Amino acid sequence: MNDLRALYQEVIFDHNRSPRNFGRLAHANRRADGHNPLCGDRITLYLDVDEGGVIRDIAFEGQGCAISTASASLMTEALKGRTVAEAHRLFEGFHKVVTGEGSGEEIGKLAVLAGVRDYPMRVKCATLAWHTLEAALKGTEQPVSTE
Amino acid sequence: MNTVRPIPEAGAPILDVERVRRDFPVLHQEVHGRPLVYLDNAATAQKPRAVIEAVDRFYRRDNANVHRGVHTLSQRATAAYEGARETVRRFLNAADPREIVFVRGATEGINLVAQSFVRPRLRPGDEILVTEMEHHANIVPWQMVCEATGARLRVVPIDERGALDLEAFHRLLGERTRFLAVVHVSNALGTINPVAEMVAAARARGIPTLVDGAQAVPHMAVDVQALGCDFYAFSGHKVFGPTGIGALYGRLEVLESMPPWQGGGDMIRVVTFERTEYHDVPHRFEAGTPHIAGAVGLAAAIEYLEGIGMERITAWEQTLLRHATARLAEVPGLRIIGTAPEKAAVISFVVEGIHAHDLGTILDHEGVAVRAGHHCTMPVMDHFGVPATARASFAFYNTLEEADRLVAALHRARELFGL
């Protein structure tokens, strides 16, 4: 059970039980849907981005496993107040960590999801919210799919 | 662990599970430091040594193309391939080996029927009847022919137990119904459908029928003549044979009425640039070099099952199903999805507070392999309002102790999640 704890850290359970920034954002000016057809995880991401490219507010709704829910919750916490350019950089850093290419130093609290690197089947769960973010920022109309 | 061992009823055939387990090399390994408990048989079943060795022997000794050569190896390969057809005939109790078409699997068999038999017969407004518990493979091919012809799909609903609403079925079977395609055993719910009754009702109205038997043939004896269906499709890999091979049964007169589906070598008699004369059934439907080793492996799997006896397999699996169902009821927050009175040993479930995908990962760490997802039956998931389920699907080589290991692993998952 010890190595499972590396994947399922307490912080992940905490965010799974009480996801932060959960719900609809009435004043959102960016929005995207994400879907993992293999496991049925769904997410809708709402963003309020100002003219200067700063993410003033962000929220999500949907349903998913503990990994995808915690990832979405942690992502919204990490992005509030950041610029769009910083969000892209953070995603790159996060993606490297969960695919085993990065150390995780530059992504702060998001590094609690680093355990996913030992579970290739679960990388999609951890990155669903982030792919949805990219779609929202690009203004993609089509729902994002991890397939 | 308070495992109650059921005492077999007097006269019931007894399966020596420890003995059959020895025939399956893959079962004897550790996963994450624990003995493997393989409960994903509905996705694909493990192969007995007899199958592995039959394929190995074919490639080592007999490999050649079929129906072409005059040399010895070609004759051996042809005899093995056509011998396998006869073995499948016996397995399904078809009347004639020409009624057995080798295909890649149940999916290809259904697509063949959809395109070659059903599509030319459809007019706008015609109806194809399926059930709410169909696998995507028995939904999408019909949607494709409906799209091409203007016909429409009608769906027989299921009840809260996951059993078919038979009254609705009889109501939906109407003047416009041109075809009935029904799953024999649901891969997501375990439900065994009363296909004989359904086929009889369709036949009484002159409606041809296909039964998707992919999940039935591993669990029970199937007799296509007794069922009375026009088509019956199954996959080799779910019945302990190789992947990439399966069989479609079609009644001879029906098969003979059908045009070829795919064109190519071996399905013709004469080809000129002006015209082509097609081969007789079933070769007309087997264009190109077939999966010869696959057919040989499938025949070995069937012979292996015949050696044990399907009756004995069904009896043991029902014991496993009863035991596992009772033990799973002890897990707080666990809900079984699919509680029809007639079930095969397939148990889909959700655990409150833990997503099926998380369950899949945690159980794997305990050495227990289950499926987590929608099982290619998204309408079933919609019906029960769940995004996904975990599914434990048993085969005759599973033991009562393995069902107990599943239950213990679920308790650990709840512990880990702080439930």
Side-chain angles (χ1 to χ4, degrees):
Chain A
M1 199 60 96
N2 285 344
D3 45 355
L4 254 189
R5 284 276 176 202
L7 175 66
Y8 289 106
Q9 297 195 31
E10 260 326 304
V11 180
I12 292 174
F13 286 128
D14 177 37
H15 279 262
N16 181 45
R17 273 191 294 269
S18 21
R20 321 295 197 265
N21 304 303
F22 192 82
R24 194 177 285 259
L25 202 63
H27 52 282
N29 53 19
R30 309 281 171 87
R31 190 206 129 126
D33 295 312
H35 181 212
N36 181 348
L38 277 186
C39 59
D41 286 1
R42 282 179 187 281
I43 180 174
T44 303
L45 191 66
Y46 304 92
L47 290 138
D48 175 19
V49 182
D50 71 13
E51 296 79 15
V54 174
I55 299 169
R56 273 192 304 231
D57 208 352
I58 179 167
F60 78 102
E61 359 173 68
Q63 55 180 357
C65 63
I67 303 294
S68 77
T69 305
S71 177
S73 174
L74 285 158
M75 182 189 82
T76 58
E77 273 198 329
L79 294 184
K80 213 179 271 192
R82 297 236 196 185
T83 66
V84 168
E86 284 171 334
H88 287 309
R89 273 200 298 280
L90 209 52
F91 179 28
E92 278 170 27
F94 180 73
H95 198 266
K96 278 188 184 152
V97 170
V98 295
T99 53
E101 288 171 24
S103 62
E105 282 164 26
E106 69 285 3
I107 63 167
K109 203 175 168 188
L110 296 170
V112 296
L113 284 156
V116 170
R117 66 166 65 118
D118 296 325
Y119 300 82
M121 304 293 283
R122 305 302 300 277
V123 171
K124 283 174 184 171
C125 310
T127 54
L128 176 62
W130 290 90
H131 286 295
T132 312
L133 170 77
E134 293 277 290
L137 294 176
K138 273 191 207 134
T140 310
E141 294 285 321
Q142 286 290 320
V144 188
S145 169
T146 52
E147 286 310 297
Chain B
M1 207 162 290
N2 59 340
T3 306
V4 181
R5 285 188 157 281
I7 301 159
E9 290 161 36
I14 299 164
L15 185 135
D16 185 346
V17 66
E18 289 308 327
R19 191 171 152 195
V20 298
R21 287 180 70 80
R22 291 202 287 273
D23 298 332
F24 291 80
V26 80
L27 297 178
H28 307 282
Q29 63 175 301
E30 292 196 340
V31 169
H32 296 292
R34 291 180 171 83
L36 168 68
V37 176
Y38 187 77
L39 299 178
D40 195 17
N41 295 287
T44 197
Q46 300 302 347
K47 320 304 171 198
R49 193 173 285 109
V51 168
I52 299 165
E53 287 174 356
V55 173
D56 179 273
R57 197 165 51 242
F58 174 78
Y59 281 127
R60 283 178 189 277
R61 209 190 62 143
D62 303 328
N63 179 53
N65 214 323
V66 290
H67 305 141
R68 287 167 177 80
V70 290
H71 58 81
T72 303
L73 265 55
S74 176
Q75 285 170 30
R76 275 194 218 147
T78 303
Y81 184 66
E82 293 305 326
R85 198 186 306 278
E86 166 57 23
T87 304
V88 175
R89 183 210 63 75
R90 188 173 69 224
F91 184 54
L92 296 180
N93 192 34
D96 190 305
R98 290 175 295 170
E99 296 180 318
I100 305 300
V101 181
F102 281 121
V103 285
R104 279 190 296 143
T107 300
E108 189 175 63
I110 295 168
N111 276 277
L112 194 169
V113 175
Q115 294 299 329
S116 174
F117 181 75
V118 178
R119 185 174 167 165
R121 287 169 169 75
L122 289 181
R123 299 287 169 271
D126 286 349
E127 294 174 358
I128 295 172
L129 199 55
V130 295
T131 80
E132 197 181 354
M133 72 176 92
E134 299 306 323
H135 186 279
H136 294 167
N138 204 25
I139 299 173
V140 183
W142 308 116
Q143 284 175 333
M144 289 164 73
V145 296
C146 284
E147 184 129 325
T149 60
R152 66 180 186 138
L153 205 60
R154 301 299 302 271
V155 183
V156 182
I158 55 177
D159 65 18
E160 73 288 352
R161 301 166 302 168
L164 206 62
D165 181 345
L166 273 179
E167 274 182 30
F169 163 71
H170 288 290
R171 229 176 18 250
L172 283 163
L173 203 61
E175 292 301 313
R176 309 306 305 261
T177 312
R178 295 288 171 271
F179 198 72
L180 169 68
V182 58
V183 68
H184 198 166
V185 173
S186 158
N187 71 312
L189 302 166
T191 308
I192 303 173
N193 282 318
V195 288
E197 180 187 337
M198 297 171 77
V199 167
R203 279 185 80 111
R205 289 174 164 270
I207 300 164
T209 53
L210 172 139
V211 178
D212 170 4
Q215 299 290 342
V217 287
H219 301 296
M220 62 183 79
V222 170
D223 180 334
V224 290
Q225 293 190 75
L227 288 177
C229 55
D230 293 285
F231 300 100
Y232 195 97
F234 76 93
S235 300
H237 72 102
K238 292 194 201 290
V239 71
F240 316 98
T243 57
I245 186 78
L248 172 73
Y249 157 82
R251 266 193 321 114
L252 194 57
E253 60 177 270
V254 178
L255 282 183
E256 282 177 339
S257 75
M258 289 160 56
W261 179 41
Q262 295 173 333
D266 216 25
M267 49 78 73
I268 46 85
R269 269 211 202 91
V270 184
V271 175
T272 65
F273 281 108
E274 286 68 44
R275 60 181 279 278
T276 294
E277 197 179 308
Y278 300 120
H279 214 316
D280 292 333
V281 298
H283 304 106
R284 184 191 299 171
F285 301 108
E286 294 177 358
T289 297
H291 188 3
I292 310 163
V296 167
L298 174 57
I302 290 170
E303 280 159 14
Y304 178 82
L305 291 176
E306 287 170 338
I308 297 172
M310 290 311 294
E311 197 189 333
R312 198 172 264 136
I313 285 170
T314 306
W316 175 242
E317 288 186 3
Q318 286 296 313
T319 303
L320 282 169
L321 174 67
R322 277 194 301 274
H323 177 79
T325 304
R327 294 280 344 258
L328 285 168
E330 298 168 12
V331 180
L334 187 141
R335 177 178 149 222
I336 292 177
I337 305 287
T339 50
E342 296 290 326
K343 267 187 78 170
V346 173
I347 310 178
S348 241
F349 57 90
V350 290
V351 175
E352 202 183 331
I354 314 179
H355 189 280
H357 236 189
D358 294 313
L359 279 178
T361 296
I362 299 164
L363 295 188
D364 177 55
H365 259 262
E366 296 292 319
V368 181
V370 298
R371 181 74 172 267
H374 53 60
H375 319 298
C376 296
T377 57
M378 287 170 113
V380 172
M381 300 296 113
D382 288 344
H383 178 93
F384 288 97
V386 293
T389 71
R391 179 187 70 189
S393 51
F394 295 81
F396 60 87
Y397 46 59
N398 289 124
T399 65
L400 299 173
E401 288 76 13
E402 287 181 314
D404 295 335
R405 289 264 314 274
L406 164 69
V407 172
L410 287 166
H411 283 298
R412 276 192 210 112
R414 292 190 75 257
E415 263 170 51
L416 183 73
F417 265 64
L419 296 170

